[in-house]
Structures are given as C-alpha cells and as structure tokens.
C-alpha cells in the first residue's frame, strides 16, 4: 500500500520524504488555507520534494473552467495530479484530462456507485473519505470493501486512495482490504511506528548492553 501525506505543510513533507516512506502528497483547498501559503508556490515546492503524485484541486464547478484551472495546475510539474470533485462536471473533466495523459484524483467520494462512475471516467485515483463517512453514522471501511470488490469484479485500474483517515486503525483496515493508497495527516503516519513494547524493548536491550562494557564503534 502506498503512503501519501495529506498536508500542504512543507516541513512535514520534507521530513517524511527523507524517510523514504512517502509515495505522494494530497492537498485540498482547506489544507492550502491552513498552510497560509500561495497555492501555486507551495504546490511547486511539494512537487520538487516528492517524486510521486501530488494532488492539486480545482475549485471551479463547471467543466470548461475546471479544464482551464487544470491546464494551469498541470504545468507546475510532471507529477501534478489534478483533483476534481465527484460531480458530473468533475467526471467529464476527469475523462478529458486522463485522455490527455494527465493524472486525475476524483475526490469527495461517499458511495460505491460514485466510485464506479470515477473508474468509468478513467480516474487515476478515487478518494473515498472514510473519516467523514464514519462521522455521519456510516461505516467508512465498509465503503472501501465495496469499492475494492467492484473494482476487482471489472478489473478497473483506478487506484483506491483512502482519504479522511483519522487514526492507525483506518490504515490497518485499508491494508487488510487491499486499498492501493492511504493518504494520512503527518501525525497519523508518525503514529504508525509507535509501540510501547518497542520502546520498552530498546530500553531493556540498552541496559543489558551497558552491563557488557562493550562498544561497537571503536
Ligand atoms: O484530502 C481530503 C481528506 O483527507 C480530508 O480529510 O479529515 O478533513 O475529513 P478530513
């Protein structure tokens, strides 16, 4: 499963990219607003930091204007992936852009039927929002299971990019189901490495090592 960082914070992206575990980045208008940065400028910086896809979202609601915005965004770098909302105009834009060889992430997916439409429109990625689904009394991971089943039934190449991940159990479940990508806030990515028994184990080994009086580096 690929790991994307769901953020527009350059410091976090640089730190995560240095681990070699980062496969891409997703942004959205809310994350850009939170960063306080200029959209074009910050997207350019992110694209230079990671080799993988960097999602940049259009804000127009109609197909012709979405195409104009996408045309500006895709010129930023070769790894820009245009993010469009799951609407008829978004799907039309998805079909046109992927037909021209541009990566597209169809976002704000909340049903398996919507995901089916995104795949039929040739989406590179579909982004089902599991956290927001849970918040509204639905089972976000059940949605991922349904999409996996449908995509496998028809051998759709669209990658399932699990979004709105809030905690490590969402990541674990995504991997169990066979989702292609998990996009996570940096704090969630960092939390995956933590285990109290790992910390305790290191402490014990180091205490015993000290008793030997030995060093590895001479
Ligand atoms: O990238 C979009 C998505 O991950 C948003 O997450 O936590 O605002 O529901 P959240």
């Amino acid at each position: 499963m690929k790991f994307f960082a769901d953020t527009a914070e350059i410091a976090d992206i640089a730190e995560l990219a240095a681990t070699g575990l980062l496969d891409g980045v997703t942004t959205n208008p809310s994350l850009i607003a939170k960063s306080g940065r200029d959209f074009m400028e910050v997207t350019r910086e992110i694209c230079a930091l990671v080799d993988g896809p960097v999602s940049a979202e259009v804000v127009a609601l109609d197909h012709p204007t979405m195409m104009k915005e996408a045309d500006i965004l895709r010129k930023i770098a070769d790894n820009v992936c245009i993010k469009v909302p799951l609407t008829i105009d978004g799907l039309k834009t998805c079909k046109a852009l992927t037909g021209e060889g541009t990566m597209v992430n169809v976002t704000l997916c909340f049903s398996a039927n919507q995901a089916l439409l995104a795949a039929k429109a040739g989406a590179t990625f579909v982004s089902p929002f599991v956290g927001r689904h849970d918040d509204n009394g639905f089972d976000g991971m059940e949605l991922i299971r349904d999409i996996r089943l449908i995509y496998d039934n028809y051998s759709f190449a669209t990658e399932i990019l699990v979004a709105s991940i809030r905690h490590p159990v969402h990541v674990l479940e995504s991997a169990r189901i066979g989702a292609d990508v998990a996009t996570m806030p940096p704090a969630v990515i960092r939390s995956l490495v933590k285990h109290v028994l790992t910390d305790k184990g290191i402490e014990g080994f180091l205490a015993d090592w000290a008793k030997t009086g030995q060093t590895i580096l001479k």
Side-chain angles (χ1 to χ4, degrees):
M1 188 168 70
K2 289 175 229 174
F3 279 15
F4 287 6
D6 196 27
T7 183
E9 300 299 330
I10 291 292
D12 282 327
I13 295 166
E15 185 204 310
L16 292 167
T19 66
L21 297 170
L22 199 61
D23 301 298
V25 172
T26 50
T27 66
N28 62 40
S30 305
L31 293 171
I32 297 295
K34 196 173 160 197
S35 76
R37 298 284 313 277
D38 174 78
F39 182 27
M40 300 295 286
E41 190 182 271
V42 78
T43 305
R44 194 170 295 112
E45 286 178 30
I46 298 170
C47 288
L49 279 172
V50 297
D51 294 332
V54 174
S55 289
E57 191 159 344
V58 297
V59 289
L61 296 178
D62 65 283
H63 169 65
T65 319
M66 280 183 188
M67 288 301 290
K68 283 183 196 153
E69 290 180 349
D71 203 39
I72 293 169
L73 296 174
R74 66 180 166 181
K75 287 193 179 99
I76 293 175
D78 289 344
N79 54 337
V80 165
C81 173
I82 304 298
K83 214 172 180 188
V84 298
L86 217 156
T87 60
I88 286 293
D89 285 70
L91 293 171
K92 205 169 157 186
T93 303
C94 173
K95 188 81 184 167
L97 291 173
T98 53
E100 293 171 6
T102 298
M103 290 185 286
V104 177
N105 177 357
V106 179
T107 191
L108 291 165
C109 171
F110 291 93
S111 80
N113 277 338
Q114 286 182 320
L116 177 57
L117 292 174
K120 285 179 69 66
T124 317
F125 302 102
V126 66
S127 290
F129 278 32
V130 291
R132 292 191 197 183
H133 211 63
D134 292 352
D135 293 344
N136 284 278
F138 300 97
D139 182 349
M141 297 321 301
E142 196 55 41
L143 172 61
I144 305 304
R145 259 178 230 108
D146 280 348
I147 300 172
R148 180 74 283 158
L149 177 74
I150 292 166
Y151 281 13
D152 289 349
N153 279 349
Y154 297 99
S155 302
F156 282 124
T158 300
E159 295 191 29
I160 303 171
L161 191 166
V162 183
S164 187
I165 283 180
R166 304 272 169 76
H167 49 71
V169 178
H170 277 150
V171 183
L172 176 65
E173 283 298 306
S174 299
R176 280 188 174 140
I177 295 165
D180 303 283
V181 189
T183 190
M184 298 164 261
V188 174
I189 300 182
R190 290 190 194 102
S191 75
L192 299 178
V193 79
K194 298 302 285 176
H195 198 290
V196 65
L197 293 180
T198 304
D199 295 342
K200 206 168 169 234
I202 291 173
E203 203 183 300
F205 286 154
L206 289 185
D208 289 339
W209 178 247
K211 289 177 205 159
T212 71
Q214 299 178 53
T215 57
I216 295 174
L217 298 175
K218 304 289 178 199

